[in-house]
Amino acid sequence: MGSEDVLRGASALASYNVVLQVAFRFLTFFLNAFTLRFVSKELIGVVNVRLMLLYSTLVFLSREAFRRACLSGGGAESNWRQNINLLWLTFPLGCAWAVLLVGVWAFVLQAPDPQTIPNYLPAVCLFCWAALQELLAEPLWVLAHTHMLVQLKVIAESLAMVAKCVVTMVMVVFAPMWGLYIFAAAQCVYSGFLVLCYVVYFTRFLGSPEADKKGFPLQSITETLPRRTHGESVFNWKLSRLTWSFFKQSFLKQILTEGERYVMTFLNVLNFGDQGVYDIINNLGSMVARFLFLPIEESFYVFFTKVLERGRSVHQQKREEVAMAADVLECLLKLVLVIGLIITVFGQAYAHLALDIYGGDLLSSGAGPSLLRYYSSYVLLLAVNGVTECFTFALMSNEEVDRYNFVMLGLSVCFLLLSYWLTGLFGGVGFILANCCNMSLRIAHSLVFMHGYFSSSEYTPLTGLRPRPALLVSLALSYTITTVSESVFCCDGGWLLRLAHIAVGGACLLGVIATVFVTETRLVGFIKSQLLPRYSKKHT
């Protein structure tokens, strides 16, 4: 697969992932709004913070290191046999983590009041089982992602998410007394559908003429099971060492990613009701980061690992490959910077209105609007960090990854201390401030690496982080106008005034977008040619 094909494939993957994540976020958005009318905020806090933290911790620690390492591996058949054997270690590792985490969640952490939130221990076990189910699809996920079978991921995750939403809504309406069982059953359905879709697809795909045309390394679904090939070692030991490096890093990265949930869960700085409100606002604030920035990061990580060789300097790479990577990196940085600035500016004047429409007084009263305003500023840092770390982790050598583990250790300790201290001072806002500090340090580390990588070449992709003066002026005017509009029209004067406030914001947003189209022609061209490809043709 040539570099142009890889770029087109990564771009298509990013675009499909964006569509998929948009659908997911909207489904979750409406599901949360629906369940808010039937269950208590305390139940939401237990599910969305305590139990989903258990699920994400088990899945992340079991598979993240294997994913990153194997996505950097080759595509030869012998390598794929060893890669698949390595990937199957995620399940026994997940079982070990499940035993440990069930013990902690069930017997170490403070359990919710059984009178108001019953069936906590069975729910913990069911969420662990759902996570283990999802790990069964890991070898197939890596196969699909490496060969850029983008439609498979869209179909599988869409069907799984729809099934989860249907189960949740039906049970919330007709059996609300089941409490935690509702959400545990829905999560098991999600992971079960996910595995089923991957198995069915590869059962039909492997050995077909289409697979032969693509030069797929496997011929039947049975070859996705672990086995030993005569004359070869069971694992690729170089890849295994890289996996171990990423594994040491993944634990620290998980603490940074879910740090506020760990602080809430283990230090009890907020009660379950406040945790529920914070988590809902956190999900609202991170919608764009999840459905736009994360898919871009995942997809272009594959692009950078395939175009540039890990651990080699810029002069040891092919010149045309470096030029392409630098151009893509600059455009990606400019794209996420522009989106992040827009969200930061417009989030200040529309946080209160958004929460009032979504959850009523439950969310718009108290600290809710302040939390969302701060989070809209944090999104800018999330946007930049996603792309900078995407490039950095794709190019780091094994030794550099190991050294960065110590950096992550320091960041993790600082984050936990900052979260505990700032939460005591500012409540839920303290979590966001602590995240901002840590995200800024992570960005600084990545920028130092990127500057050193390109310093001896003529390429300067970091210029993508310099917004044009015209854009800054349009954003400043928009902030001023929308702030005045909020004080005049929002939010107690009825829907007519609310619509007037929305119209003012829409006009300002159109002005900002027009400014981007006029001043950022290179970025617009990149979006049209790479992130919005024509799907009538297959790029892989």
Side-chain angles (χ1 to χ4, degrees), residues 40 49 63 73 86 92 126 165 218 220 225 260-261 299 306 365 377 391 404 406 421 456 467 481 499 525 539:
S40 65
V49 177
R63 76 183 183 191
L86 185 65
L126 287 172
C165 290
L218 306 179
S220 68
L225 299 174
E260 67 271 15
R261 294 189 180 188
S299 303
K306 288 185 176 292
S365 61
S377 300
F391 180 84
Y404 186 61
F406 292 100
W421 177 53
S456 58
I481 294 171
L499 291 175
H539 298 292

Side-chain angles (χ1 to χ4, degrees), residues 350 353 485-505:
Y350 289 89
L353 178 60
S485 173
E486 182 183 28
S487 64
V488 173
F489 298 124
C490 197
C491 289
D492 300 322
W495 271 104
L496 186 60
L497 294 181
R498 290 184 181 187
L499 291 175
H501 181 46
I502 294 173
V504 170

Side-chain angles (χ1 to χ4, degrees), residues 15 109 137 168 247 299 304 374 420 464 468 470 491 517 520 525 534:
S15 301
L109 298 178
T168 303
F247 178 78
S299 303
F304 288 128
Y374 277 93
Y420 184 71
R468 295 185 182 275
C491 289
F517 267 86
E520 300 289 354
R534 296 180 180 177

Side-chain angles (χ1 to χ4, degrees), residues 194-214:
L194 203 61
V195 175
L196 181 63
C197 288
Y198 275 96
V199 171
V200 170
Y201 178 86
F202 276 102
T203 300
R204 297 171 60 89
F205 175 75
L206 294 178
S208 67
E210 183 182 358
D212 295 337
K213 183 179 179 181
K214 291 177 179 289

Side-chain angles (χ1 to χ4, degrees), residues 45-120:
V46 173
V47 173
N48 289 357
V49 177
R50 178 73 66 88
L51 295 179
M52 286 307 298
L53 177 64
L54 169 65
Y55 184 89
S56 65
T57 300
L58 200 162
V59 169
F60 189 91
L61 295 181
S62 300
R63 76 183 183 191
E64 178 68 12
F66 294 90
R67 278 190 174 185
R68 286 194 172 273
C70 290
L71 285 175
S72 302
E77 185 175 354
S78 59
N79 289 336
W80 269 114
R81 169 49 44 208
Q82 294 173 329
N83 289 357
I84 288 173
N85 291 339
L86 185 65
L87 286 166
W88 272 106
L89 292 179
T90 57
F91 187 77
L93 179 62
C95 293
W97 278 117
V99 172
L100 175 62
L101 293 175
V102 166
V104 173
W105 256 250
F107 305 110
V108 176
L109 298 178
Q110 178 183 1
D113 182 5
Q115 298 299 321
T116 57
I117 305 177
N119 307 317
Y120 173 70

Side-chain angles (χ1 to χ4, degrees), residues 251-305:
F251 183 77
L252 300 175
K253 185 176 180 181
Q254 175 68 2
I255 293 177
L256 291 176
T257 303
E258 302 277 12
E260 67 271 15
R261 294 189 180 188
Y262 286 113
V263 173
M264 284 188 282
T265 297
F266 286 89
L267 300 181
N268 296 319
V269 293
L270 298 175
N271 59 46
F272 286 118
D274 291 340
Q275 288 180 26
V277 173
Y278 176 85
D279 185 75
I280 292 171
I281 293 174
N282 180 61
N283 285 332
L284 289 175
S286 62
M287 279 183 67
V288 175
R290 290 178 178 178
F291 73 63
L292 184 58
F293 300 139
L294 183 59
I296 290 175
E297 177 187 351
E298 289 179 345
S299 303
F300 282 93
Y301 175 81
V302 176
F303 165 72
F304 288 128
T305 57

